[in-house]
Amino acid sequence: MKNNAKGDAEHPDFITPASGDVPKVQRFESFRLRGFFKTLGPGLITGASDDDPSGIGTYSQAGAQLGYGISWTMLLTFPLMVAIQEISGRVGRVTGHGIAGNVCRHYSGKLLAAIVVLLFTANTINIAADLAAMADATKLLIGGHPLLYVVAFGAISVLAQIFFDYKRYVAVLKWLTLCLFAYVGALAVAKVDWPQAAAGVLIPQLTWSSAYLTTIVAILGTTISPYLFFWQASQEAEDERIDPHKKPLTKSPQDAPREFQRIRADTIVGMAFSNLIALAIIITAAATLHASGRTDIETSAQAAEALKPIAGPFAEWIFALGIVGTGLLAIPVLAGSAAYAVGEGRRWPVGLARKPKQAVAFYSVLALSAVLGIAINFAPINPISALYWSAVINGVLAVPVMVLLMLIARRRDVMHRFTVRGPLYWLGWLSTAAMGLSVVAMAVGYLV
């Protein structure tokens, strides 16, 4: 699409300074230093929340079981994640509505209800598994009863979302992304065979076995999850709603080039951050657990505990602290994405920027998801089984959600002149096809 709004209006950092102003080069550098991190938001938080405790467990298990040879999956998932998340962000920014808000306006109510029920169920189970992992990690570090930690972490997450100022809360979530560097620290103390690690990343090593295929499915299901689509689209719509200088791009098309550039940069940074951390976890597990014959790791907390005799207590501590930090980041995203989906589908007032009295139903759904996640930990339910079924539901749900997202992104009555086209569009469908194939592989694994 041809854009006539080029030039200085889109690039204020290239404005020619008046007499006495800061030289152009200094203005450019100042803009980069201060402005770049301010533009990071929905994409960065979405990517970081993808490395939640349950995801850490999956990556640890993959590295422990299969070693360096499974690392290549991170190169595969990166462009697929970027494409589908950027499309999600564009839909939210262009229309001013999240995915559920657009589906309820253009598709069957029954279809939306089925998707929202599955999303709420999967997110709630995922919250339960994340709380369990956080509690186990805390017990590992300081002792105590894990159920007390489950309640404490769950309550903190819910109360912060309900009562914190929105801008301050988003800033807290951004700072929490730094806890993921704990896994870079764990990697630093591991004895890595770097030539083998590089070969594992760059050269796919395929094995036709049920265990290998199951791990591939688990990695895809962990990295490309429906709650991430809903969250990023809804957060773009939320950021537009609370900013008096912004409107949906259907009403202010002149802002599109700048906003699309921001969304792309935010998404690329967030997904690259997510995949690099996931790669660090896989390589750490491969270099320590797999190399020592420990292939029976099933949770992130077990991975942290198993690192101690191999890589020392420092690795155990930073791994466990990372689990707690990523859980505090991921639980709000899981509960929030469920609340956005339900609220937008019902056309309720939604948004974390609203006061509790202004969005009672929205906050009630958010709290319900977290409370049920806490309650699951008191029930006689195996958390590993719960996590497995959560991954199954997420994998199955991702396919119809991604198909709907791709259809929405091409509808002119929804996106107007900003329908998604070109390489981004085809990468989105490639991501959808990859998830569809993973579900088929999972089904075949059941039948064989």
Side-chain angles (χ1 to χ4, degrees):
M1 183 180 298
K2 189 175 181 179
N3 173 36
N4 296 319
K6 300 279 185 184
D8 290 346
E10 281 187 36
H11 302 284
D13 43 311
F14 289 107
I15 294 175
T16 302
S19 177
D21 284 351
V22 179
K24 184 195 298 185
V25 173
Q26 291 181 11
R27 288 176 62 87
F28 178 79
E29 290 177 351
S30 177
F31 171 82
R32 287 300 182 191
L33 289 172
R34 292 199 304 265
F36 178 70
F37 289 103
K38 289 183 179 179
T39 66
L40 300 179
L44 175 65
I45 295 170
T46 300
S49 67
D50 192 33
D51 293 322
D52 66 334
S54 60
I56 294 165
T58 299
Y59 300 133
S60 300
Q61 188 178 40
Q65 289 184 345
L66 301 173
Y68 299 117
I70 198 66
S71 302
W72 64 271
T73 54
M74 292 299 101
L75 284 184
L76 170 67
T77 58
F78 174 65
L80 304 184
M81 288 176 70
V82 169
I84 204 68
Q85 292 300 148
E86 182 179 337
I87 291 169
S88 300
R90 285 194 180 204
V91 167
R93 185 65 185 88
V94 168
T95 65
H97 302 291
I99 294 174
N102 280 292
V103 172
C104 78
R105 287 167 171 80
H106 300 283
Y107 294 93
S108 163
K110 292 182 178 179
L111 174 63
L112 175 63
I115 288 174
V116 168
V117 168
L118 286 173
L119 179 73
F120 183 88
T121 302
N123 284 13
T124 299
I125 295 172
N126 213 330
I127 289 171
D130 283 354
L131 286 172
M134 293 164 69
D136 286 344
T138 306
K139 179 184 177 182
L140 187 67
L141 296 177
I142 61 176
H145 200 291
L147 289 179
L148 293 177
Y149 299 133
V150 165
V151 174
F153 287 133
I156 290 170
S157 299
V158 171
L159 294 175
Q161 283 184 289
I162 295 175
F163 295 109
F164 257 40
D165 174 75
Y166 176 72
K167 290 184 178 179
R168 184 176 299 174
Y169 183 67
V170 170
V172 170
L173 292 183
K174 282 187 181 182
W175 280 107
L176 278 173
T177 62
L178 297 178
C179 70
L180 288 169
F181 283 108
Y183 300 109
V184 178
L187 179 63
V189 299
K191 295 180 180 179
V192 179
D193 185 333
W194 288 110
Q196 283 195 28
V201 173
L202 300 174
I203 304 172
Q205 300 176 28
L206 303 175
T207 304
W208 189 258
S209 68
S210 59
Y212 191 88
L213 292 175
T214 300
T215 302
I216 296 292
V217 172
I219 289 174
L220 280 173
T222 298
T223 53
I224 305 176
S225 296
Y227 76 88
L228 302 176
F229 319 151
F230 281 88
W231 175 262
Q232 187 159 351
S234 295
Q235 284 296 287
E236 285 292 343
E238 177 91 343
D239 287 351
E240 175 270 312
R241 184 182 65 80
I242 66 173
D243 190 336
H245 302 294
K246 289 183 178 181
K247 295 180 181 179
L249 295 181
T250 54
K251 297 180 181 179
S252 59
Q254 71 277 4
D255 296 331
R258 181 178 63 254
E259 289 297 290
F260 287 163
Q261 184 179 35
R262 175 191 60 78
I263 290 171
R264 174 162 293 178
D266 186 21
T267 303
I268 289 174
V269 170
M271 299 309 119
F273 187 44
S274 172
N275 278 37
L276 285 172
I277 298 301
L279 182 60
I281 296 169
I282 290 173
I283 292 177
T284 299
T288 54
L289 305 177
H290 182 79
S292 64
R294 292 290 304 274
T295 61
D296 56 344
I297 302 302
E298 294 184 325
T299 69
S300 49
Q302 286 180 9
E305 187 173 19
L307 286 176
K308 183 176 182 178
I310 303 167
F314 179 72
E316 176 198 27
W317 266 80
I318 59 178
F319 209 85
L321 288 172
I323 291 167
V324 176
T326 56
L328 289 172
L329 174 65
I331 289 173
V333 176
L334 286 160
S337 62
Y340 275 114
V342 174
E344 289 175 352
R346 302 290 298 174
R347 302 200 184 190
W348 295 336
V350 301
L352 295 171
R354 297 184 189 273
K355 300 295 183 183
K357 290 183 179 179
Q358 298 173 327
V360 174
F362 168 78
Y363 284 114
S364 296
V365 174
L366 187 153
L368 178 63
S369 181
V371 169
L372 288 176
I374 293 171
I376 288 173
N377 282 278
F378 286 84
I381 298 175
N382 186 326
I384 302 304
S385 298
L387 183 59
Y388 174 78
W389 286 108
S390 172
V392 170
I393 294 171
N394 267 323
V396 173
L397 175 60
V399 179
V401 171
M402 292 169 79
V403 169
L404 274 174
L405 180 62
M406 295 307 300
L407 294 175
I408 289 170
R410 285 287 280 197
R411 288 185 62 147
R412 291 192 65 86
D413 58 336
V414 178
M415 300 289 286
H416 293 215
R417 58 190 285 195
F418 302 115
T419 54
V420 177
R421 301 173 182 274
L424 179 62
Y425 178 71
W426 294 112
L427 262 178
W429 275 117
L430 181 61
S431 181
T432 305
M435 283 305 301
L437 288 174
S438 74
V439 173
V440 171
M442 186 167 54
V444 170
Y446 272 117
L447 296 175
V448 174

